[in-house]
Amino acid sequence: MFRLETAENPQTLRRIAIDPVTRVEGHGKVTLLMDDANHIHQVRLHIVEFRGFEVFIEGRPYWEVPVTVQRLCGICPVSHHLAAVKAMDLIAGFGPLPATAEKLRRLMHYGQIVQSHAVHFFHLASPDLLLGFDSEPTRRNIVGVAQDFPEIAKQGVLLRKFGQEAIRHTAGKRIHGTGAIPGGMNKGLTQAERDEMRRDIDQMIEWALGAVHMVAALHRTKPEFYNHFGEFESSMMGLVDADGALDFYHGGLRALAADGSTIFDHVDYGTYEEVLQEEAKSWSYMKFPHIRSLGAETGWYKVGPLARVQVASRLTTPLAEIERKKMMQLGGGKPVMGTLFYHWARLIEALHACELIRDLLDDPDILGKDLMADRGERRDEAVGVIEAPRGTLFHHYRVDENDQVTFCNLIVSTTNNNQAMNEAIRSVATKYLDGREVTEGLLNHIEVAIRAYDPCLSCATHALGQMPLEVDLVDADGTLVQRARRNMREAR
Amino acid sequence: MTDFETFLLDGRPVRFTRGQTILEAALAAGHYIPNLCHHPEFRPHGSCKLCTVKVNGRLGAACTVKAMPGQEVASDTPELNGTRRVLLQMLFVEGSHFCPGCEKSGACKLQALAYDLEMLTPHFEHFYPSRPIDASHPDVLIDFNRCIMCELCVRASREVDGKNVFALAGRGTASHVVINSASGKLVDTDFALSDKAAHVCPVGAILPKRVGFAVPIGERLYDVDSISTQAEKRVGEEV
Ligand code: SF4
Ligand code: FES
C-alpha cells in the first residue's frame, strides 16, 4: 500500500476537497482527510471525468481514426492524431515514410509542443511562479501576470501562436486538422508558409531561451524550496532515438530508476505490454500503469518533460542541451526529483522544439513533394507511440479484415503520471499542510504540485463506465456538509 | 421562331424551355435554389423538400414543379430559408453527422447547405441512432448513420446499374435504406465500386474504402466556394 493513499479510520476524519482543481485541463479533484490536530491521513487525486472513447472508436474504419481520435481531447489533438496515424501506417501496410512526409509530421508535432508548453507555462503556471503561491487568489491568474509582467505575457501569447501556425500549415487547420494520413501526409508545405515561419523562428528561440533563464533565476532565489517542493523518488520513462537522444516523434522506450540506473532501454514500443502493465483502482477513473518487472508497488514512473530530458542521454540542439546540463547539475550526478523542476524542463523542451523547427525549416526536404510511402502487406494489429507534450502516449489498435477497428487501448500521458501526481501531492501535503490550519494559500500548494505535471484530465479518463459526477459542499472550515453523487463507484 | 419563355424568380426573369422544372431552369440560368435529393441525371424525387419555393403564393418543390410562363417564384426569402434551416436541423439530429471524423466533410451536400443557410446549431435533441456500419464489401463502406434517405443510391442502382442493390424499408421515422441480399450485407450483392450507385451519395454514407482524407481540408469541393456560389458559376451546364 502506498503511504497516505488510504487512511485507516476515515470515518473519524475531517475531509477537505479541492474541487475542481483549477488551471488544469479537464476536471479532477483532491481530497484530504485530516484529524482534529490537522494531521493528514489520506491524500488522493481523483478523476471525475469520463469519455467512452475506446468504445466509440470500435467499429469505425481505420482511416477515420487519426482524424476522429483528435476529438478525444481539445488540448493536444495533434498528439492523438500522430500517435493514431503511426499505428495506422502499419495497419494499412505502408513502409517507411518519405523524408518529407516524416519531417512534416515532425514539424506539426514540434509546433504542438511549443504551443502546449507555452500555454501551460505562461497561462497556467506563471501566475503561481511569478506572483506567488499564496498571493491574492483573485489576481493569481494570467490577467494578474499581464498586469505585472506585460512583456512575458506577450511572449507567451506569441509563442503559442507560432506553434499554432506550424500546426495549421501542416495539418490544414489550427485544431483538428487532417494533415497526417495512413502512409504519409495529404499536403506539403509551400515556400510562402516556410518563409513565414522562418522569419519568426529566431525570435521564438530567443524568447524560449529567455523563459528558461527566467525559471532558472527563480530557482536561484529560493533553491531549497524549488529543489525540494513536492520532491519524491521515482523512475522515469521516455522515448529516445538510436543514440539515446530525446526524440519527441519516434524512438525506443527507455526507463531509468531514481538513481539514474537503467531499467530498460530501446524497447520496441510495439511490445509495450511486455514492459508495462495497467491497474485500476476503485477511487479514480484513471488507471495506474507500472513497469511490469518491478510490480505495482515500486514500478510506477514519471513521464513528460522532467522525465524526458533526464532519461535522454542528450538533446540534439545546442542551446537546449546547454540548458539541460545546467538544470541537471543541481542533482549532483543523480536525476533531479523536485516537482517544480517540471517547469524548468518544460521550457527547455519548448526551446528544444523551437530549435528543431528552425532546423526543419532550413532543411530542403521540408518543401519536398513526395508525401506518401509505398504500400505493402496489411497488418491486423499495431501500436503507435509519440512523446506528447505531457509525456509518452500509446495508441494500440486491432483492425479486422473488413477494415473496422475491433480493439483500441490508449495509455495517455497523464495516466502514465497518475501515481507520480499522487506522490507529489502527498509530499506537499506532508511538508506544508500537516499539523497546520489549512488556508487557501496552503491548499494552492497542492494545486501547484498537480499543475506542474500539466495534467490533461479530460483525456486521461477515456475508458470506463458511466459519466461520474460528484459535488461536495464544504463549509468554511473545510468540513464536508453535504455530498451529491451520480454514477460514482465508492470513492472514499 | 419560338422565343424563350420566362418566369420570375425572386423578381428576376429566368428563361426556360418547356418541360424543365423550376429548379432545372433556375440552375441552368445560374440561380441557386437549395436542393439535396435532386440529381441532374435522375428523375425528380421530391423527398427532401429543401427546394421548396412559393409559386404564385403556393408552396411547391422546385424540383418537381414544371416551369410555366409568367410564374412568380419566391425562393430566397427569410421565411423559406428559415424553414429550410429547420429541415436541415431535423436531418442533422435524425442521423449521426459527426463531420470532423467524416471523409466526406467539405464535399458533403448536407454540410454545405448547413453552412450556406447559416444553420448555427442543431437546435433539436439528437436521436443518436446506432445503425450498424456495413464494411463487408472489399471496396465500399456504408455508414447508414449518415444516410438522409434521398434514395439516390436506390435510383442509381436500379436505373443506371440495373442491379437493384438498395431499397427503402420501414415507415415514418422507422424508414431506412436496406441492402437487397439474403444476409442484408453488401458483400452478398453484385455491387461494385464502379457502379453509379457507389458515387451518388450526397453525404458520407456510401464511400470508397481506404481513401480517407487524401484531399486536405481547405481544398475540398465546398471549401473553395460555397455550394450556392458554385451553382451560380455553373451557368449553362446541365445541373
Ligand atoms: S445512402 Fe446516401 S444516396 Fe443512399 S439514400 Fe442514403 S443518403 Fe441517399
Ligand atoms: S431537391 Fe426538391 S425535394 Fe429534394
Side-chain angles (χ1 to χ4, degrees):
Chain A
M1 248 304 89
F2 292 101
R3 186 182 60 100
L4 293 184
E5 181 179 308
T6 302
E8 272 173 28
N9 45 354
Q11 319 75 355
T12 63
L13 299 171
R14 199 153 59 86
R15 165 185 290 257
I16 294 177
I18 306 177
D19 182 18
V21 178
T22 56
R23 280 184 278 135
V24 300
E25 311 287 8
H27 189 140
K29 104 179 166 149
V30 173
T31 54
L32 307 167
L33 296 193
M34 307 177 103
D35 62 21
D36 289 341
N38 291 323
H39 287 302
I40 296 193
H41 292 255
Q42 178 178 307
V43 183
R44 288 170 173 183
L45 168 64
H46 307 257
I47 301 303
V48 289
E49 206 185 69
F50 157 78
R51 296 185 183 204
F53 206 81
E54 279 136 331
V55 179
F56 178 72
I57 218 75
E58 280 164 23
R60 301 308 309 174
Y62 74 78
W63 54 89
E64 266 186 11
V65 173
V67 172
T68 321
V69 80
Q70 299 180 82
R71 291 284 149 169
L72 188 55
C73 174
I75 311 303
C76 65
V78 167
S79 311
H80 291 291
H81 182 51
L82 291 175
V85 86
K86 284 178 78 179
M88 295 314 175
D89 288 341
L90 303 174
I91 297 272
F94 285 100
L97 261 48
T100 298
E102 186 182 314
K103 286 174 185 175
L104 286 169
R105 285 191 188 176
R106 285 179 179 272
L107 179 57
M108 186 194 306
H109 187 40
Y110 301 155
Q112 169 87 93
I113 291 198
V114 171
Q115 87 90 23
S116 175
H117 282 3
V119 170
H120 179 263
F121 182 75
F122 293 97
H123 292 247
L124 306 178
S126 76
D128 296 319
L129 298 175
L130 298 180
L131 304 175
F133 294 6
D134 36 26
S135 61
E136 169 55 35
T138 56
R139 285 196 74 247
R140 203 195 300 139
N141 51 44
I142 185 66
V143 179
V145 173
Q147 278 166 0
D148 291 8
F149 303 90
E151 218 16 61
I152 289 171
K154 185 189 102 189
Q155 291 173 7
V157 168
L158 292 177
L159 267 167
R160 172 192 197 180
K161 184 152 172 269
F162 180 86
Q164 286 175 327
E165 287 300 292
I167 295 170
R168 187 168 67 84
H169 289 321
T170 45
K173 289 165 71 184
R174 267 189 309 185
I175 51 162
H176 303 132
T178 62
I181 53 175
M185 292 288 292
N186 67 11
K187 111 182 232 310
L189 193 68
T190 66
Q191 177 96 34
E193 289 166 339
R194 198 271 304 265
D195 294 349
E196 183 194 312
M197 287 186 279
R198 188 64 187 83
R199 188 192 65 216
D200 294 336
I201 188 64
D202 291 326
Q203 179 68 76
M204 298 304 140
I205 292 173
E206 192 185 314
W207 285 343
L209 182 63
V212 179
H213 288 162
M214 181 171 73
V215 169
L218 273 173
H219 266 251
R220 282 195 296 276
T221 59
K222 284 190 280 181
E224 264 305 290
F225 174 75
Y226 275 96
N227 290 345
H228 302 300
F229 181 88
E231 187 181 34
F232 58 91
E233 302 244 299
S234 82
S235 307
M236 304 173 292
M237 185 177 76
L239 283 184
V240 292
D241 70 11
D243 298 331
L246 168 60
D247 194 330
F248 291 124
Y249 177 75
H250 192 71
L253 294 168
R254 175 185 280 180
L256 301 187
D259 63 2
S261 62
T262 304
I263 303 170
F264 54 72
D265 201 359
H266 298 299
V267 169
D268 171 4
Y269 60 61
T271 64
Y272 76 99
E273 288 170 307
E274 287 169 24
V275 290
L276 299 178
Q277 187 168 1
E278 291 180 277
E279 189 192 21
K281 294 196 184 192
S282 61
W283 51 268
S284 177
Y285 277 82
M286 186 152 69
K287 286 193 235 169
F288 287 80
H290 58 264
I291 294 167
R292 207 175 262 278
S293 63
L294 300 179
E297 285 289 286
T298 54
W300 55 277
Y301 51 87
K302 287 199 285 262
V303 297
L306 186 56
R308 276 193 297 245
V309 302
Q310 302 197 93
V311 158
S313 319
R314 64 193 177 90
L315 303 183
T316 53
T317 60
L319 294 176
E321 175 60 7
I322 292 170
E323 297 304 321
R324 184 185 88 102
K325 284 198 176 123
K326 281 194 214 157
M327 184 188 85
M328 287 188 66
Q329 261 166 19
L330 299 182
K334 286 209 302 181
V336 294
M337 291 288 164
T339 287
L340 294 176
F341 280 108
Y342 259 97
H343 298 297
W344 195 338
R346 187 169 290 114
L347 291 169
I348 293 172
E349 286 195 342
L351 172 63
H352 183 42
C354 285
E355 289 185 280
L356 288 166
I357 289 176
R358 180 204 48 214
D359 295 348
L360 282 173
L361 295 174
D362 286 340
D363 183 335
D365 281 347
I366 205 75
L367 294 177
K369 298 281 171 255
D370 186 10
L371 301 178
M372 288 297 290
D374 295 330
R375 208 171 196 144
E377 266 302 275
R378 263 280 306 271
R379 283 204 216 173
D380 53 11
E381 181 167 6
V383 179
V385 174
I386 196 154
E387 282 296 339
R390 293 163 180 79
T392 323
L393 169 66
F394 295 79
H395 277 220
H396 180 187
Y397 301 98
R398 281 199 272 277
V399 175
D400 68 13
E401 66 284 0
N402 290 334
D403 302 318
Q404 287 174 286
V405 174
T406 55
F407 165 87
C408 162
N409 185 42
L410 311 178
I411 309 180
V412 305
S413 321
T414 298
T415 302
N416 282 308
N417 270 336
N418 196 356
Q419 184 63 31
M421 288 189 291
N422 273 283
E423 291 298 323
I425 59 177
R426 282 166 203 158
S427 159
V428 170
T430 313
K431 184 145 178 196
Y432 296 95
L433 277 75
D434 196 56
R436 298 171 68 176
E437 208 46 67
V438 173
T439 63
E440 191 280 337
L442 284 176
L443 286 180
N444 188 46
H445 281 58
I446 300 246
E447 292 197 65
V448 165
I450 297 170
R451 239 173 257 138
Y453 287 82
D454 189 14
C456 180
L457 304 178
S458 53
C459 66
T461 45
H462 48 83
L464 294 156
Q466 303 144 298
M467 174 77 173
L469 186 69
E470 173 167 305
V471 180
D472 275 4
L473 185 60
V474 181
D475 73 12
D477 305 327
T479 313
L480 180 70
V481 181
Q482 199 191 341
R483 157 169 299 174
R485 46 170 44 187
R486 185 184 79 196
N487 294 338
M488 292 279 288
R489 288 185 294 178
E490 197 48 22
R492 293 226 79 187
Chain B
M1 180 179 153
T2 54
D3 266 330
F4 281 107
E5 296 178 292
T6 60
F7 64 90
L8 285 179
L9 175 62
D10 294 326
R12 293 167 303 189
V14 175
R15 300 204 290 196
F16 69 96
T17 48
R18 282 281 166 150
Q20 272 186 317
T21 62
I22 290 176
L23 181 64
E24 282 164 348
L27 292 176
H31 299 301
Y32 184 65
I33 297 174
N35 63 86
L36 203 45
C37 67
H38 163 78
H39 190 293
E41 294 166 44
F42 295 97
R43 277 201 304 274
H45 194 246
S47 59
C48 76
K49 303 294 182 223
L50 257 295
C51 68
T52 299
V53 289
K54 268 192 179 164
V55 186
N56 298 332
R58 291 182 55 193
L59 292 174
C63 69
T64 57
V65 178
K66 296 273 189 244
M68 292 296 218
Q71 277 166 331
E72 286 189 28
V73 181
S75 173
D76 191 11
T77 68
E79 182 203 352
L80 286 169
N81 285 335
T83 313
R84 289 176 181 138
R85 265 192 298 277
V86 174
L87 288 174
L88 287 173
Q89 285 167 326
M90 293 197 290
L91 285 171
F92 267 95
V93 301
E94 188 262 348
S96 181
H97 299 278
F98 183 67
C99 300
C102 178
E103 159 60 21
K104 193 83 174 195
S105 182
C108 167
K109 254 182 122 174
L110 179 67
Q111 185 195 44
L113 273 168
Y115 278 124
D116 207 50
L117 289 167
E118 292 171 359
M119 184 194 116
L120 300 177
T121 68
H123 182 77
F124 302 107
E125 215 173 305
H126 281 274
F127 285 28
Y128 292 119
S130 180
R131 306 171 193 146
I133 78 170
D134 186 340
S136 64
H137 195 277
D139 302 318
V140 176
L141 182 100
I142 300 201
D143 184 349
F144 282 128
N145 292 296
R146 298 172 182 158
C147 175
I148 56 168
M149 278 176 297
C150 67
E151 286 192 73
L152 273 169
C153 56
V154 180
R155 293 182 270 163
S157 185
R158 203 169 44 215
E159 294 167 24
V160 180
D161 306 327
K163 289 188 178 175
N164 217 6
V165 170
F166 303 98
L168 205 67
R171 281 166 194 278
T173 51
S175 51
H176 59 286
V177 172
V178 292
I179 290 158
N180 277 325
S181 70
S183 64
K185 291 275 178 212
L186 195 61
V187 70
D188 295 323
T189 67
D190 51 357
F191 189 73
L193 180 58
S194 53
D195 286 2
K196 182 78 184 171
H199 304 280
V200 287
C201 184
V203 293
I206 304 182
L207 286 172
K209 277 188 163 183
R210 297 179 292 277
V211 288
F213 307 99
V215 179
I217 285 181
E219 292 174 23
R220 294 174 167 228
L221 185 62
Y222 301 118
D223 290 343
V224 189
D225 277 318
S226 73
I227 191 167
S228 56
T229 310
Q230 293 201 6
E232 282 153 16
K233 283 184 177 172
R234 277 199 302 256
V235 189
E237 283 174 41
E238 196 198 317
V239 273

